[in-house]
Amino acid sequence: MTALMDINQLLDELETGLRRILEQRGIDNPVLIGIRTGGVWLADVIGKRLGIEQPFGELDISFYRDDFSRIGLNPKVKPSSLPFDTEGRDIILIDDVIMSGRTIRAAMNEIFDYGRPASIILATLIDLGARELPIQPDVVGHSLALEAHQRVKLRGPEPLRIELQDSGQ
Amino acid sequence: MTANDPSPNHLQLTRDGQLRHFLTLDGLGRELLTDILDTADSFIEVGERSIKKVPLLRGRTVVNLFFESSTRTRSTFELAAKRLSADVLNLDINTSATSKGESLSDTLLNLEAMASDMFVVRHSQSGAPHFIAESVTPGVAIINAGDGRHAHPTQAMLDMLTIRQHKGRFEGLKVAIVGDVLHSRVARSQIRALNELGAEEVRVIAPGTLLPRDVEDLGCTVEYDMARGMKDLDVVIMLRLQKERMEGALLPSEREFYRLYGLNQEKLALARPDCIVMHPGPINRGVEIESAVADGPQSVILNQVTNGIAIRMAVMSMAMGGQMAERQQKQTDSEGHRA
């Protein structure tokens, strides 16, 4: 396991990218939703950096996963919590890593069960490519291509760090 | 582990310990019971959304197979299945097939032919859900919604969820179950769950005629005097007194029972001041519980009903998930075999 990439540099990228897109779209009152677990840590940090006072939402997508019929229910599911009305709001959805895009599809399905947001901006710290669905993040901290035996993981919450795991095969 | 292993767990659990049927709490450990409660907590949150539905059982068919009548249990199972996006069929067997002479096995074969994925079974005979689970096609989950005097595991678990919500823990709790324990499948499942989850004391309070023989073996203490039994309680669970028991000479009279074992404000005052009052419903006001108590600030009877939906969603999705994971596993195994 090696730590790679300076987390603060990636967070800077995310912050800058988000500020730019919010300005372009004229959004001045967004709300943040993080996907458990890494996305929630990031929502906390990014919310402070962007000066969003509204407490962020936490999403557990276990009830929306598309592999329920293959592996059953995640036994460690926790309640989602969206401490605001999503109806008509501009949402920044944050996750640590995007790959297939299936997590984001599940997360968007869940968000729509709370109401109809005005818009959703997708921000991910790391983009690993290998998409299986037509879903692309609006803002990315860092893009990265991994070998088949490599895994990347965000550890946290204090301090946040990125770990590259190599099974060495 | 062989298919004819008599232990209920080889029937209830998959190889890797996931639930695949939910028949009894016997043999289920604290970790699994806690997983059920935690999952139910997440479903409570779903019940507070504007769209109270998740797609877990979308495209699955759930059959509520009630050989014994019920309003609350059946409707909460129905609502639970619908909130999981399943298609639901309600069958009240008292009034249909069996009255035309069809056997239980034939009824089941017909329902399986309709591609059902889950049977929620209530039956007046103990062991009926086990019997069905043993004979049903692999991949179909069986949930026990109450069988004879044997078990009512979803009721017990929704009671545990209610206790945890109000008390935050089980350790150190003193819980009493009052009334007709003899005929109560609810009491049996509750005693089992409370012991497994670590309650300090489970006490039954009842006249000797309404207690099963060797009741202590279930894991409880016995108190015949209610005033003494109420002392130090954190939770008091009242059981429904079935009026037909009065005619069976087990009780002197309804009035006498209420005087001795009915819960009123005076008796409740003997428990801890934050003692909660529970009842599986439907309540007989003035037979086992006074209205002022049933509707009072310490009563959590309506919370129990709300929690019933969440617990049933948890159990149904966990059992269906276990069945599907197992099917997937078998497929992978047989492919590996061929390769």
Side-chain angles (χ1 to χ4, degrees), chain B residues 90-101:
Chain B
N90 289 315
L91 288 181
D92 192 348
I93 304 289
N94 277 331
T95 56
S96 76
T98 43
S99 59
K100 295 179 192 157

Side-chain angles (χ1 to χ4, degrees), chain A residues 60 62-65 68-82 110 112-115, chain B residues 18 31 35 38-39 41-43 45-46 49-51 53-57 60 317-318 320-321 324-325 328:
Chain A
D60 188 315
S62 300
F63 294 152
Y64 291 78
R65 292 178 65 103
F68 172 70
S69 64
R70 301 162 59 90
I71 60 171
L73 189 64
N74 169 15
K76 300 299 166 208
V77 57
K78 293 205 166 57
S80 292
S81 121
L82 296 193
E110 179 160 9
F112 275 78
D113 280 352
Y114 285 88
Chain B
Q18 286 192 66
E31 194 183 347
D35 280 349
D38 291 346
T39 305
D41 267 339
S42 296
F43 282 122
E45 189 275 330
V46 171
R49 299 181 188 177
S50 73
I51 296 176
K53 223 171 162 83
V54 295
L56 283 175
L57 298 193
R60 311 279 154 198
S317 55
M318 287 169 78
M320 199 72 251
M324 293 197 283
Q328 186 74 23

Side-chain angles (χ1 to χ4, degrees), chain B residues 48-332:
Chain B
E48 292 160 0
R49 299 181 188 177
S50 73
I51 296 176
K52 299 169 181 49
K53 223 171 162 83
V54 295
L56 283 175
L57 298 193
R58 189 162 173 267
R60 311 279 154 198
T61 303
V62 173
V63 181
N64 277 329
L65 209 51
F66 278 59
F67 296 88
E68 198 186 85
S69 64
S70 149
T71 309
R72 182 185 351 258
T73 303
R74 205 194 70 178
S75 46
T76 49
F77 264 112
E78 179 176 355
L79 210 47
K82 286 178 169 169
R83 288 188 179 175
L84 292 167
S85 306
D87 296 311
V88 186
L89 192 61
N90 289 315
L91 288 181
D92 192 348
I93 304 289
N94 277 331
T95 56
S96 76
T98 43
S99 59
K100 295 179 192 157
E102 190 180 59
S103 76
L104 173 57
S105 313
D106 282 331
T107 305
L108 288 169
L109 285 173
N110 278 279
L111 291 168
E112 282 179 45
M114 297 176 203
S116 306
D117 297 288
M118 180 181 289
F119 293 134
V120 176
V121 182
R122 166 168 288 198
H123 204 290
S124 57
Q125 275 189 328
S126 301
H130 282 78
F131 168 77
I132 296 173
E134 277 164 357
S135 57
V136 80
T137 310
V140 177
I142 308 299
I143 310 289
N144 184 357
D147 62 327
R149 296 186 193 181
H150 171 245
H152 194 349
T154 58
Q155 175 70 45
M157 289 308 289
L158 74 88
D159 294 331
M160 298 307 113
L161 186 63
T162 311
I163 292 173
R164 195 174 76 166
Q165 268 170 3
H166 288 87
K167 298 293 170 190
R169 73 204 143 85
F170 293 96
E171 288 75 19
L173 291 185
K174 292 190 170 143
V175 183
I177 301 169
V178 185
D180 185 2
V181 177
L182 177 63
H183 300 95
S184 176
R185 54 195 173 209
V186 176
R188 272 172 190 71
S189 291
Q190 285 166 336
I191 294 169
R192 166 84 190 94
L194 285 164
N195 278 301
E196 185 63 34
L197 289 166
E200 183 180 316
E201 186 193 342
V202 186
R203 205 179 285 170
V204 294
I205 306 174
T209 48
L210 291 182
L211 288 172
R213 205 183 305 177
D214 302 323
V215 63
E216 291 96 338
D217 294 350
L218 296 172
C220 56
T221 59
V222 178
E223 182 58 74
Y224 302 102
D225 179 78
M226 191 158 174
R228 269 207 310 268
M230 292 300 292
K231 204 167 166 296
D232 296 332
L233 283 184
D234 299 288
V235 179
V236 56
I237 301 172
M238 302 304 296
L239 298 173
R240 175 179 168 76
L241 188 72
Q242 281 163 356
K243 301 207 178 182
E244 57 270 26
R245 307 294 176 215
M246 299 294 170
E247 289 137 32
L250 291 172
L251 285 169
S253 75
E254 217 173 86
R255 248 178 59 209
E256 186 72 355
F257 180 83
Y258 183 62
R259 192 176 67 78
L260 292 170
Y261 295 101
L263 184 62
N264 57 22
Q265 286 173 302
E266 292 73 46
K267 287 182 196 155
L268 182 57
L270 301 170
R272 291 214 172 125
D274 61 351
C275 177
I276 55 170
V277 177
M278 299 172 56
H279 192 301
I283 60 176
N284 293 316
R285 290 170 188 267
V287 177
E288 68 257 346
I289 190 165
E290 183 184 49
S291 275
V293 172
D295 306 328
Q298 285 165 267
S299 165
V300 297
I301 295 171
L302 292 177
N303 294 51
Q304 289 174 269
V305 180
T306 310
N307 288 340
I309 300 172
I311 276 290
R312 283 159 185 144
M313 288 173 82
V315 167
M316 289 169 125
S317 55
M318 287 169 78
M320 199 72 251
Q323 291 283 357
M324 293 197 283
E326 190 171 58
R327 199 183 310 172
Q328 186 74 23
Q329 186 63 42
K330 278 184 187 148
Q331 216 166 22
T332 316

